Amino acid sequence: MSNPQNFRNSKESPHRGADWNPQNRFDKIVVEPDPDCEEAPNLPLQTEYFKDTTRRIISYNDSPDIGFRASLNPYRGCEHGCIYCLSGETPILMADGRTKSLENIQPGDEIYGTVRQGWYRRYVKTKVLAHWQVIKPAYRIVLQDGTELIAGADHRFLTERGWKFVTGEGRPHLTINNKLTGVGQFAKPPVANREYQKGYLCGMIRGDALLAFYEYQREGRVHGNQYQFRLALIDMEGLQRVRAYLLEDEIVVRQFIFQKAIGLRKTVHAIATHARRHVEYIDAMIAWSPCHSLDWCKGFLAGIFDTEGGYNDGVLRIANKDLEIISYIRRCLELFNFAFAIEDYGSNGVKYVRILGGLKEYLRFFHVVGPSISRKMNIEGQAIKSNAQLGVVSIEPVGVQKLFDITTGTEDFIANGVVSHNCYARPTHEYFGLSAGLDFESKIFAKEDAAKLLRKELSRPKWEPQTIVMSGVTDPYQPVERKLGITRQCLEVLNDFRNPVAIITKNHLVARDKDIYSEMAKWQGCMVNISVTSLRREIARVMEPRASIPEQRLKAIEDLTKAGVPVNTMVAPIIPGLNDEEIPTILKAVAAAGAKGASFVILRLPWAVKDLFEKWAETHFPERKDKILNRLRELRGGKLYNAEWGTRMRGEGKRVEMIEQLFELSARREGLNRKRISLSTAQFRSLPQPNQLILPF
């Protein structure tokens, strides 16, 4: 039974990103809490702190498009509650060739991920290690072939130029015409209604079953007629489906071993019946018809593929001698717009129907018709090559949604046909006997000896000077940093060695260390990145719960700038009627504080999410709901969204021109178009480890 403490009402934890603690897959271990932890008294779910005894301090990233290779994480877990996920409806490619919605994925499920082998990435089977859900702002990504993905801003997809985030300044993110990697959107699976079942039985039975009637005289009886139905297969999946479909018509068959395994030959199982009523019913049910439904055709293709088809060496084909069966295969494939070729390789009369179009079409065949035999849908080892049109057409905010994410053994998975990165931060908590959900936000592990480990790492002869990012996973300025000072200790070490660092944070506590940053800035050794979304607390709190309030972030920028430390920031998204009037004020405040540059994004809202956005506005800003929606319509010619080329990215009309001009003029006036500085490793100096013997040569 699940621990009831793993599940919480969202009202009990309103300042957290996750709603619950999914079941941990490791046994609990003994942890030692910090006896002096400080926590805000008004938070229902208190934060606990633990010691992290990890012996390695620097993590390395091999992705060529991420702006850093080395990162340092003083803490595991993050109280800011920011995570990236996908919509729960996103279909995920399972290891059996089928798909399952992301919200229904469970730890332990086997799915497809990818690994790089030689020149190509290839599909491999991997396990799901963790699964959780959150509620946060989401974006809709639309590709040229119609593929749609809904994801958080921090989610990453594999493009022709490497991994990229959905949005975000100062980091690799998706732009229009970036091409994602994969085969494109998955087809919806068939519905196993009565027509589909009849088609499947027709394909299976005509493809490989014995269905016969023998009439002869027998002494002592009126006649000795025999009725036979038998289907023998190696794969139990096909037999079980046929048996289940027949049972719905009250046809009971017996199951037995038709042939035992001999040498390399596998065991053959079979089902059979000799009842006259059953055999006659089956014979009538599989009769040909000049006009079959689409569902029947899907079932027929699935059945004939399970018996006579195969996918081997990157080729999918179905073989049979019966020209009538070949004709029906051809007609059904044409109904679903599959390209194919009919081939004859010898004099035995066997015809081969080969599907054309590569892996993209093979997967579409599997998903459209729904075969039962999973081994025939194995794509493991296949290279990720496709001619699918996966260029990014649009990226638009769609309001706050419930999103899901998983962690896998390969650190990626196939989401609606494209390669998607998983979250790597939260699941690290499970190694401590904790959860990737609320535990990640409320149980923080501190690496108290991080500075000592960092000094040891930088002292190694093999260390190559390079920019270290703090932090690549969680915020280095956790609330407990005020007490423990681990990040500050690491900065002191980096400054001693003259090794550059880039800081990413939402916390004003970063200004505490301005003395160290000031010293590092003299040799181009640091860059601090602080986000500012609005100057009003009610808006900032909705977008970024538990992060520093706007005034504190501005004060941090100001303090760091006065100390000679370079700082960058961003304003996004701009929602007309909500924060557009803040543009001059925000830019003036940011510039006055000393930020080097600023940019913006206007909210775009398609009709498909109209109700969702209206509910979001009603919940958080009920008195301004009508004003917000009316001004959004002004940007789109009276609509909430206009998909026409040339206008979908910026909108049109006087209001959008006013926003652009206002931002441009304000940015120019405030001098926010300066080029970012580059960090330098030229000043790096190697220092001996403490207590290291120095020989007097």
Side-chain angles (χ1 to χ4, degrees), residues 279 474 616:
V279 174
T474 57
W616 181 86

Side-chain angles (χ1 to χ4, degrees), residues 55-60 69-72 449-466 468 493-494 497 499 684-690:
R55 306 315 303 165
R56 295 297 300 271
I57 190 61
I58 296 179
S59 301
Y60 293 93
R69 179 172 179 268
S71 64
L72 189 159
D449 58 351
K452 179 180 178 181
L453 295 173
L454 177 61
R455 182 176 293 277
K456 180 179 180 180
E457 185 71 17
L458 298 183
S459 299
R460 295 174 62 240
K462 293 184 178 180
W463 169 254
E464 297 180 6
Q466 58 190 290
I468 295 178
V493 173
L494 290 168
F497 281 79
N499 196 97
F684 179 82
R685 56 189 182 188
S686 181
L687 299 175
Q689 297 184 35

Side-chain angles (χ1 to χ4, degrees), residues 404-420:
F404 297 78
D405 204 357
I406 58 177
T407 292
T408 72
T410 58
E411 297 187 350
D412 65 0
F413 54 98
I414 313 302
N416 202 14
V418 299
V419 183
S420 169

Side-chain angles (χ1 to χ4, degrees), residues 497-534:
F497 281 79
R498 296 293 190 268
N499 196 97
V501 64
I503 300 295
I504 304 173
T505 184
K506 299 177 180 180
N507 200 306
H508 72 289
L509 185 60
V510 64
R512 179 202 62 184
D513 300 328
K514 60 185 178 183
D515 56 327
I516 302 178
Y517 289 126
S518 178
E519 180 65 27
M520 299 181 78
K522 294 177 182 178
W523 47 272
Q524 290 183 282
C526 69
M527 168 63 70
V528 176
N529 299 277
I530 302 176
S531 64
V532 177
T533 56
S534 171

Side-chain angles (χ1 to χ4, degrees), residues 23-210:
Q23 183 68 37
N24 185 276
R25 66 187 188 278
F26 296 103
D27 293 335
K28 291 284 186 178
I29 61 174
V30 177
V31 292
E32 181 181 345
D34 186 333
D36 300 317
C37 68
E38 298 177 354
E39 188 61 49
N42 61 332
L43 289 177
L45 181 59
Q46 300 295 303
T47 302
E48 300 176 81
Y49 301 99
F50 307 92
K51 292 181 181 179
D52 185 343
T53 58
T54 301
R55 306 315 303 165
R56 295 297 300 271
I57 190 61
I58 296 179
S59 301
Y60 293 93
N61 165 61
D62 294 327
S63 180
D65 63 313
I66 299 299
F68 60 88
R69 179 172 179 268
S71 64
L72 189 159
N73 303 284
Y75 301 96
R76 295 179 189 259
C78 184
E79 288 194 76
H80 292 157
C82 303
I83 52 183
Y84 48 93
C85 305
L86 287 166
S87 168
E89 297 179 354
T90 305
I92 306 302
L93 184 60
M94 308 302 291
D96 62 4
R98 302 174 180 87
T99 63
K100 183 190 288 188
S101 62
L102 180 56
E103 62 184 335
N104 292 323
I105 296 289
Q106 297 293 328
D109 283 349
E110 193 173 26
I111 66 173
Y112 275 109
T114 73
V115 294
R116 189 172 185 85
Q117 297 177 351
W119 291 102
Y120 298 105
R121 277 188 174 271
R122 297 183 183 275
Y123 292 98
V124 296
K125 295 177 181 179
T126 185
K127 292 283 188 178
V128 175
L129 305 179
H131 178 271
W132 61 90
Q133 66 182 48
V134 296
I135 297 176
K136 64 178 296 182
Y139 294 80
R140 183 190 304 276
I141 302 101
V142 179
L143 308 184
Q144 290 172 329
D145 71 340
T147 300
E148 290 192 5
L149 300 149
I150 295 180
D154 296 321
H155 201 85
R156 286 188 287 165
F157 294 100
L158 186 61
T159 74
E160 82 285 8
R161 295 187 176 183
W163 294 104
K164 289 197 174 186
F165 294 94
V166 173
T167 64
E169 291 295 323
R171 64 185 184 184
H173 62 88
L174 296 179
T175 58
I176 302 304
N177 292 328
N178 268 150
K179 184 179 180 181
L180 301 194
T181 303
V183 298
Q185 64 181 332
F186 292 139
K188 292 183 178 180
V191 177
N193 54 28
R194 189 62 190 135
E195 280 294 297
Y196 177 87
Q197 294 177 7
K198 289 171 64 177
Y200 184 81
L201 291 172
C202 181
M204 285 287 281
I205 294 170
R206 286 188 175 275
D208 204 31
L210 169 66

